[in-house]
């Protein structure tokens, strides 16, 4: 049997190529998943260890007074120690208020323990000098050479800004950094995250305190572990798509082996006739599958490693520094990926092998009559498929009612499995329906060939059906989610950026300055008065009528006459009264109350209500709409500087919107990229099964040629058959995908956004249909050309 095994693999090597490619892609997908998730984790947790670089140990869980003691003991022994923490104090610069609660942090005296990046100027040389965060300095209007007053009362101090730094670690960042000696007077108010210690005396320095002393690497690993408990969700999502890709791979490989063994049925039967036992045949074909699995899985490891490194390199080139780490794959992941590839191949060949050897030699030597669904086995298959679809649909309804993602996944998997089981019944019926309007000999032959063997027809369309269903469901789900989130963000943040004066009117030059700022599409000034609002206090009240061009959603920002719309955060305790007294210059109006958010601390009234309040309406706010693609950080910093100079408060709704859109962009890109792997496997699958099914019918095609069918007609027949199968799989997959997307929106999106609409991305769905049809046509090109080149006499002589 060893000789038979080797001869079989040499003879049928070309037929195994598509199955091997599917395994390679599946295994490489697992390896790429590991590389991407590892790089993402490294990037997200890189800032954890950054503030402690250069240290030998970390003293954590320590009180501020004990941290000061550790610093003094370190200095006395010649070691270095830097406190990581912050305190908030009022800061003024040249007589103007920078902020009432500005984050201040100590800068390490030892340059080796400084984790910030110096961008301009120099480091502080001693007490009375400070460095400012680059972006906060822009918003606060600080520059090198400015004198700042920090704190109030007897502990207040003055310092000169001598440099600007970038703070890569948001967890330890602050607006202003001063030497420890300057911040030590505020020890009682200082929040301490830890002390970075350079030297061997960390334990001695912490003696007598309740602090924990750990080597830096150990401390950072524990912090990273805390963060990656949530980051692992990303890896789980990636693995879900890896499982999808492997599931499609199993279908492709199983279809490949089914058709291969059907083609070799006569060969296997002859081996049985000359004395080979069932056990020997099983061992032979399973060794073939194992050999294919070993070679393909090994190649998949290599391809996955190279592809993972390439993708991470591309991502690191496009994202900010530190966003992505190194593309590393652990030995456990390599072993798991290899085992998965091998097991997938062996399992995919298991059932086709048993089905072939179960047939007696004489039966196998007769022509194959296909599968009759009216037999007991066919009826059992149909009943099982119906039960699976019904049970899956019931689980999907339960998932919608309980908003359970786990139940939704289980129900969708069960329902779709039922559809695949019913494939030999459903797909041929749909092919007949699609082929009924076609006219001509080749069209009738194509329709007849497509439905003659229901199981083969279902197997041919299965992988493409999976790919189209997944693609449609994901694209529709993402489009619906983005639309729902965008609508919700428009309601929650109707204005991108607002500059509101709490007291004095705004200068006339502010509006032109805002309009001239890079990244601002449009800006308008709103007139209003400062009113005394019952239960709230003094509050600017403006008319948002002129702001129609900058408002994203006017649901909340269009108050009716006699109504004042108040921001949620100005209401004491969150209580919303039905009516409030609004007083302007001694004149009081009682107005109904509505609430909202997204424009800063100002009340909104209609123009008629503003006129009834009296007073002299003057510019009190400027509302701005940002350009699409504007740099949020730079725009916020620029407008923050204008707001500070104008004595106004800046409200930034754009930052949260940009953050949410960034998450959606990352998720969409990742999901679509990962989905592309599964779709690529599906396209390989339909090409593989179509090609093998054409080879399986070599004698049949030769007989048609002998009866008068020309080469062109044969190619047209096979092409029409491929297109019919592709169209049926595409239409059925699109319908199922839209249903699954609707279920997903009702289950997941409705939790965050009430009555979210299902949005059909018609353009993208049209592309899916065209690509699937083109894939089917292209998949049949090479087999049809090969079949047309075979002479009738040579084809009839084939086994």
């Amino acid at each position: 049997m060893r000789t038979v095994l080797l001869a079989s693999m040499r003879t049928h090597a070309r037929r195994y190529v598509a199955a091997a490619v599917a395994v390679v892609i599946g295994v490489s997908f697992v390896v790429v998943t590991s590389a991407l998730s590892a790089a993402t984790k490294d990037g997200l947790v890189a800032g954890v260890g950054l503030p402690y670089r250069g240290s030998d140990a970390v003293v954590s869980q320590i009180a501020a007074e004990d941290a000061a003691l550790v610093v003094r003991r370190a200095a006395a022994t010649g070691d270095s120690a830097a406190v990581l923490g912050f305190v908030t104090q009022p800061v003024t610069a040249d007589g103007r208020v920078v902020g009432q609660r500005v984050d201040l942090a100590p800068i390490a005296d030892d340059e080796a323990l400084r984790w910030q990046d110096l961008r301009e100027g120099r480091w502080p040389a001693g007490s009375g000098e400070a460095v400012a965060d680059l972006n906060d300095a822009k918003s606060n209007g600080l520059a090198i050479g400015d004198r700042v007053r920090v704190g109030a009362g007897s502990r207040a101090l003055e310092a000169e800004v001598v440099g600007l730094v970038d703070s890569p670690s948001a967890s330890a960042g602050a607006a202003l950094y001063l030497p420890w000696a300057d911040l030590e007077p505020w020890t009682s108010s200082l929040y301490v995250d830890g002390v970075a210690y350079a030297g061997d005396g960390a334990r001695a320095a912490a003696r007598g305190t309740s602090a924990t002393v750990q080597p830096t690497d150990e401390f950072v690993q524990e912090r990273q572990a805390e963060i990656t408990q949530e980051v692992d969700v990303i890896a789980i999502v990636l693995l879900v798509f890896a499982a999808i890709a492997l599931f499609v791979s199993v279908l492709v490989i199983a279809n490949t082996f089914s058709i291969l063994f059907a083609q070799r049925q006569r060969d296997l039967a002859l081996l049985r006739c000359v004395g080979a036992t069932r056990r020997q045949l099983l061992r032979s074909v399973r060794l073939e599958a194992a050999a294919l699995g070993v070679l393909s899985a090994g190649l998949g490891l290599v391809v996955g490693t190279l592809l993972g490194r390439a993708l991470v390199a591309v991502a690191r080139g496009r994202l900010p520094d530190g966003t992505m780490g190194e593309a590393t794959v652990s030995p456990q992941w390599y072993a798991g990926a290899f085992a998965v590839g091998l097991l997938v191949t062996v399992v995919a060949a298991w059932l086709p092998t048993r089905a072939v050897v179960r047939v007696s030699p004489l039966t196998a030597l007769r022509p194959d009559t296909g599968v009759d669904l009216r037999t007991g086995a066919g009826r059992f298959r149909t009943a099982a498929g119906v039960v699976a679809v019904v049970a899956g649909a019931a689980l999907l309804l339960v998932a919608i009612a309980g908003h359970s993602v786990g139940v939704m996944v289980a129900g969708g998997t069960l329902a779709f499995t039922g559809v695949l089981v019913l494939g030999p019944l459903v797909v041929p019926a749909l092919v007949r329906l699609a082929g009924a309007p076609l006219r001509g000999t080749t069209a009738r032959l194509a329709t007849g060939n497509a439905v003659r063997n229901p199981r083969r027809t279902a197997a041919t369309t299965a992988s493409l059906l999976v790919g189209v269903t997944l693609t449609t469901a994901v694209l529709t789900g993402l489009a619906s989610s983005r639309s729902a989130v965008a609508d919700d963000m428009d309601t929650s943040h109707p204005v991108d950026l607002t500059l509101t004066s709490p007291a004095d009117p705004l200068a006339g030059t502010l509006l032109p300055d805002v309009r001239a700022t890079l990244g601002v599409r449009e800006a308008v000034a709103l007139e209003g008065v400062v009113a005394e609002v019952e239960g709230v206090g003094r509050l600017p009240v403006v008319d948002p009528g002129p702001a129609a061009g900058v408002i994203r959603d006017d649901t909340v920002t269009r108050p009716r006459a006699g109504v004042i719309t108040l921001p949620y955060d100005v209401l004491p305790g969150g209580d919303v009264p039905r009516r409030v007294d609004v007083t302007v210059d001694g004149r009081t109006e009682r107005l109904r109350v509505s609430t909202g958010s997204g424009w800063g601390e100002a009340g909104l009234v209609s123009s008629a209500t503003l006129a009834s309040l009296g007073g002299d309406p003057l510019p009190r706010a400027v509302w701005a709409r940002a350009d699409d693609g504007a740099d949020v950080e730079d725009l916020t910093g620029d407008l923050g500087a204008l707001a500070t100079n104008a004595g106004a408060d800046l409200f930034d709704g754009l930052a949260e919107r940009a953050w949410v859109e960034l998450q959606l962009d990352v998720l969409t890109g990742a999901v679509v990229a990962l989905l592309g792997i599964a779709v690529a496997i599906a396209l390989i699958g339909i090409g593989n099964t179509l090609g093998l099914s054409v080879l399986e019918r070599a004698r049949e095609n030769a007989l048609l040629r002998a009866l008068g069918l020309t080469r062109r007609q044969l190619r047209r027949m096979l092409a029409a058959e491929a297109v019919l199968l592709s169209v049926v799989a595409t239409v059925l997959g699109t319908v199922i995908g839209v249903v699954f997307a609707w279920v997903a929106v009702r289950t997941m999106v409705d939790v965050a956004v009430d009555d979210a609409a299902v949005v059909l991305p018609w353009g993208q769905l049209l592309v899916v249909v065209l690509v699937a049809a083109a894939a089917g046509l292209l998949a049949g090109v090479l087999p049809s050309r090969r079949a047309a080149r075979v002479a009738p006499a040579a084809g009839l002589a084939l086994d």
Side-chain angles (χ1 to χ4, degrees):
M1 292 303 297
R2 183 181 304 170
T3 304
V4 173
L5 169 64
L6 295 176
S8 176
M9 295 192 71
R10 286 195 301 269
T11 304
H12 303 289
R14 191 169 59 183
R15 299 178 182 178
Y16 286 119
V17 170
V21 170
V23 177
V24 168
I25 292 179
V27 172
S28 62
F29 191 78
V30 175
V31 176
V32 170
T33 297
S34 174
L36 288 175
S37 60
T40 304
K41 289 181 184 179
D42 289 346
L44 290 177
V45 302
V48 174
L50 183 61
Y52 301 94
R53 68 183 181 188
S55 64
D56 299 303
V58 176
V59 184
S60 60
Q61 299 179 12
I62 186 171
E65 293 79 5
D66 292 337
L69 177 62
V70 170
V71 173
R72 289 195 296 271
R73 288 177 175 176
T77 59
D79 292 340
S80 298
V83 176
L84 276 299
F86 69 92
V87 63
T88 58
Q89 291 292 325
V91 175
T92 60
D94 299 328
R96 63 178 179 84
V97 178
V98 174
Q100 292 296 334
R101 295 180 59 83
V102 178
D103 288 342
L104 312 174
I107 188 79
D109 294 331
D110 185 353
E111 291 190 11
L113 294 178
R114 291 174 183 165
W115 56 272
Q116 303 88 346
D117 296 330
L118 184 65
R119 295 300 178 89
E120 296 181 34
R122 60 176 177 84
W123 294 108
S127 180
E129 294 183 342
V131 291
D133 179 79
L134 186 66
N135 290 312
D136 282 313
K138 182 188 294 185
S139 299
N140 295 329
L142 292 178
I144 295 176
D146 286 352
R147 302 286 301 180
V148 295
R149 179 178 175 83
V150 179
S154 60
R155 289 184 296 179
L157 64 89
E158 291 192 358
E160 179 184 356
V161 178
V162 297
L164 300 178
V165 298
D166 184 22
S167 308
S169 176
S171 62
L176 206 62
Y177 299 93
L178 295 95
W180 170 248
D182 288 342
L183 288 185
E184 192 171 7
W186 289 291
T187 299
S188 59
S189 305
L190 187 71
Y191 168 80
V192 177
D193 185 62
V195 179
Y197 197 100
D200 300 325
R203 295 192 180 278
R207 188 178 61 253
T209 71
S210 59
T212 300
V213 180
Q214 297 171 276
T216 302
D217 292 342
E218 179 182 324
F219 172 81
V220 172
Q221 286 176 3
E222 288 187 2
R223 283 294 180 90
Q224 289 175 341
E226 294 175 5
I227 296 178
T228 54
Q229 292 301 315
E230 296 184 4
V231 177
D232 282 342
V233 174
I234 298 175
I236 291 172
V237 172
L238 296 177
L239 285 176
V240 167
F241 281 93
I244 291 171
L246 289 176
F247 174 69
V248 181
S249 298
V250 171
L251 286 178
V252 172
I253 300 167
N255 291 342
T256 301
F257 279 106
S258 296
I259 297 175
L260 284 175
F261 293 142
Q263 292 174 328
R264 295 166 55 193
Q265 193 174 43
R266 291 173 60 85
D267 295 341
L268 298 175
L270 286 173
L271 289 174
R272 290 287 310 283
C273 289
V274 297
T277 65
R278 289 187 178 184
R279 180 175 296 179
Q280 287 176 319
L281 289 181
L282 284 173
R283 186 185 305 120
S284 173
V285 294
R286 287 171 185 169
L287 282 175
E288 288 183 35
L292 176 67
V294 169
L295 295 174
S296 303
L299 181 58
L301 297 181
V302 176
V303 173
T305 301
L306 296 176
L307 183 60
R309 292 182 180 277
L311 290 176
V312 171
V314 171
R316 294 178 70 183
R318 293 178 176 271
L319 296 175
D321 292 341
T323 304
M324 296 287 286
E326 295 295 331
T328 57
V329 182
S330 66
Q332 293 83 353
W333 272 93
Y334 276 129
F338 184 85
V340 165
L342 178 59
L343 290 175
V344 162
T345 309
V346 173
V347 170
W350 189 273
L351 292 178
T353 305
R354 294 182 62 85
V356 170
V357 300
R358 194 181 296 122
V359 181
S360 67
L362 292 179
T363 303
L365 288 172
R366 299 190 190 104
D368 184 14
T369 57
V371 178
D372 189 354
L373 296 178
R374 294 170 295 181
T375 62
R379 287 193 292 270
F380 175 79
R381 182 190 184 100
T382 302
V386 172
V387 170
V389 171
V390 173
L395 288 177
L396 292 177
L397 293 176
V398 171
I400 293 174
H403 300 290
S404 174
V405 177
V407 176
M408 180 192 72
V409 173
T413 302
L414 184 59
F416 192 75
T417 301
V419 172
L420 293 179
V421 171
L422 291 174
L425 180 66
V426 175
V427 175
L430 293 177
V431 170
R432 290 192 188 94
L433 183 63
L438 302 180
R439 295 291 181 268
T441 302
T442 55
R444 289 197 301 272
L445 286 173
T447 305
N449 285 335
V451 301
R452 182 173 296 110
N453 190 320
R455 182 175 295 177
R456 183 179 62 199
T457 300
T460 303
T461 58
S463 55
L464 185 60
L465 178 63
V466 173
V468 173
T469 300
L470 286 172
T471 305
T472 302
V474 170
L475 292 178
T476 303
L478 287 175
S480 303
S481 301
R482 292 188 73 99
S483 176
V485 171
D487 292 342
D488 186 64
M489 291 299 295
D490 287 345
T491 303
S492 303
H493 302 278
V495 188
D496 289 343
L497 299 125
T498 65
L499 293 81
T500 307
S501 173
D504 298 328
L506 296 174
T509 58
L510 180 61
L511 179 60
D513 290 342
V514 172
R515 285 177 173 171
T517 301
L518 181 65
V520 173
R521 176 192 297 182
E522 182 55 69
V524 294
L526 305 182
E527 293 187 345
V529 295
V530 176
E532 186 72 27
V533 180
E534 179 185 3
V536 175
R538 291 180 62 81
L539 190 73
V541 177
V542 299
D543 171 20
V550 300
I551 297 175
R552 293 181 180 269
D553 186 343
D554 62 0
T555 304
V556 179
T557 56
R558 282 288 180 269
R560 299 186 303 274
V563 175
I564 182 171
T565 303
L566 297 174
Y568 292 117
D569 51 6
V570 303
L571 296 170
D575 297 329
V576 181
R578 296 186 61 184
R579 293 178 180 270
V580 294
D581 288 336
V582 180
T583 303
V584 177
D585 293 340
R587 180 176 180 178
T588 301
E589 290 282 338
R590 191 159 181 81
L591 304 178
R592 294 191 304 273
V593 176
S594 65
T595 57
S597 64
W599 60 84
E601 294 189 359
L604 306 181
V605 295
S606 67
S607 56
T609 303
L610 182 62
S612 68
L613 290 175
D616 185 14
L618 295 170
R620 303 283 177 178
V622 171
W623 289 7
R625 176 77 174 265
D627 284 327
D628 295 334
D631 188 303
V632 177
E633 189 173 347
D634 286 347
L635 179 57
T636 302
D638 292 338
L639 292 188
L642 291 177
T644 300
N645 294 333
D649 296 328
L650 175 68
F651 176 83
D652 182 11
L654 185 64
E656 185 170 350
R657 173 185 292 274
W659 184 85
V660 172
E661 289 179 350
L662 176 62
Q663 306 307 306
L664 290 175
D665 288 340
V666 171
L667 177 63
T668 302
V671 168
V672 171
L674 297 174
L675 188 63
I677 303 292
V679 174
I681 298 175
L683 296 180
I684 291 172
I686 191 172
N688 184 36
T689 48
L690 275 174
L692 292 177
S693 65
V694 170
L695 292 175
E696 183 184 358
R697 304 200 310 265
R699 289 171 58 86
E700 177 185 328
N701 294 332
L703 180 60
L704 290 173
R705 289 288 314 282
L707 293 175
L709 201 68
T710 65
R711 289 185 177 182
R712 176 177 296 181
Q713 288 176 319
L714 179 62
R715 288 196 298 267
R716 289 174 57 188
M717 179 194 74
L718 295 175
E721 180 182 348
V723 172
L724 277 175
L725 294 176
S726 300
V727 168
V728 166
T730 302
V731 172
L732 182 59
T734 301
V735 173
I736 297 174
V738 170
V739 173
F740 282 175
W742 178 82
V743 172
V745 170
R746 298 280 80 84
T747 303
M748 296 187 294
V749 181
D750 273 359
V751 176
V753 182
D754 293 334
D755 298 324
V758 176
V759 177
L760 295 178
W762 292 107
Q764 296 175 344
L765 295 182
L766 178 61
V767 171
V768 171
V769 172
L770 294 177
V771 168
L777 180 60
L778 293 175
V781 169
L782 289 180
S784 64
R785 291 176 63 86
R786 188 181 301 116
R789 284 200 298 266
V790 177
L796 290 172
L798 291 173
D799 254 338

